[in-house]
Amino acid sequence: MADKQAGGLFSAAFTYTDAVLSDFEAMYRQKKEISPAMRIVLGALGAVGAVYFGYMLYRDGLSLTRVGYALICAVLLVVALSGGGRRPDESTAKYRKYYQDKQATFKIDENGVEMHLEGQKNYARSKFKEIYGLFDTDMCFYFVIKGKAYYILPRDSVQGAGPEELKKYMEKKCAKRFLHYET
């Protein structure tokens, strides 16, 4: 059950289901991936740079600056050729372990976002200035607070006010735009 109360306050109560956590995992994998177009750009820059700075090192001799640039170009090549988001990451497994089938309550008001997870004594609280990423899918909203920490809020739990009103409120308060992922 969710509602919008006076003063721009949003709240929600729901259970983290397999579908919600699977949506999070799909969004997280997409977020980590490097797009094919970006991989081509990185590969081209890396290859051209490596050839140019390699030639400069050969022609003019050893220089710390040229060695540094050549190494940067080599790293660009490695990133372009790597699997991108296929690197192992235990973040999604931890969310599934700790959130699966747990009840959660959210309160979003002028002070920020507050979440309480069933079985936890403490609330997770974040001011809007501490939220540095806003993502969404057709199923959920994701608020990134630090490192790999996410608030996960299913859209259908935001009733009464509606998910679009919450989205606009968060964008205004956080001074950021949502980045949408298709999952």
Side-chain angles (χ1 to χ4, degrees):
M1 173 194 226
D3 62 337
K4 180 179 188 265
Q5 301 170 2
L9 177 71
F10 296 81
S11 63
F14 57 91
T15 301
Y16 282 109
T17 63
D18 181 60
V20 168
L21 295 171
S22 293
D23 186 74
F24 170 65
E25 291 164 348
M27 182 279 307
Y28 190 82
R29 278 191 305 273
Q30 282 184 31
K31 186 176 158 289
K32 286 183 61 176
E33 288 179 1
I34 300 170
S35 71
M38 182 56 75
R39 291 172 71 180
I40 290 169
V41 169
L42 291 174
L45 288 173
V48 169
V51 168
Y52 175 77
F53 290 110
Y55 174 73
M56 294 299 288
L57 281 168
Y58 172 77
R59 189 185 77 182
D60 298 335
L62 207 54
S63 161
L64 185 59
T65 305
R66 286 187 206 107
V67 169
Y69 285 135
L71 287 174
I72 289 171
C73 293
V75 168
L76 290 176
L77 275 171
V78 169
V79 169
L81 298 174
S82 73
R86 293 181 197 78
R87 295 182 306 274
D89 186 331
E90 298 300 318
S91 294
T92 57
K94 288 178 185 175
Y95 276 87
R96 187 166 289 279
K97 178 181 176 183
Y98 292 110
Y99 283 40
Q100 182 76 49
D101 299 322
K102 296 272 178 93
Q103 289 276 349
T105 58
F106 271 81
K107 182 175 104 175
I108 301 172
D109 61 20
E110 62 279 348
N111 297 316
V113 177
E114 179 178 286
M115 180 190 87
H116 187 262
L117 186 64
E118 172 188 0
Q120 303 260 331
K121 290 182 182 181
N122 298 322
Y123 288 77
R125 294 182 181 96
S126 297
K127 295 178 182 178
F128 293 113
K129 67 181 180 180
E130 297 170 332
I131 297 173
Y132 70 85
L134 298 173
F135 306 112
D136 74 330
T137 63
D138 291 339
M139 181 180 275
C140 295
F141 292 112
Y142 302 98
F143 313 139
V144 184
I145 52 173
K146 59 183 171 187
K148 295 176 184 171
Y150 289 76
Y151 289 117
I152 303 170
L153 178 60
R155 283 178 175 270
D156 64 2
S157 70
V158 182
Q159 299 171 6
E164 290 308 310
E165 190 172 350
L166 173 62
K167 185 175 179 175
K168 289 176 188 173
Y169 183 81
M170 290 299 293
E171 286 181 336
K172 180 180 177 186
K173 288 296 202 172
C174 296
K176 294 171 178 45
R177 303 280 313 196
F178 273 88
L179 181 58
H180 184 76
Y181 286 93
E182 292 293 330
T183 55

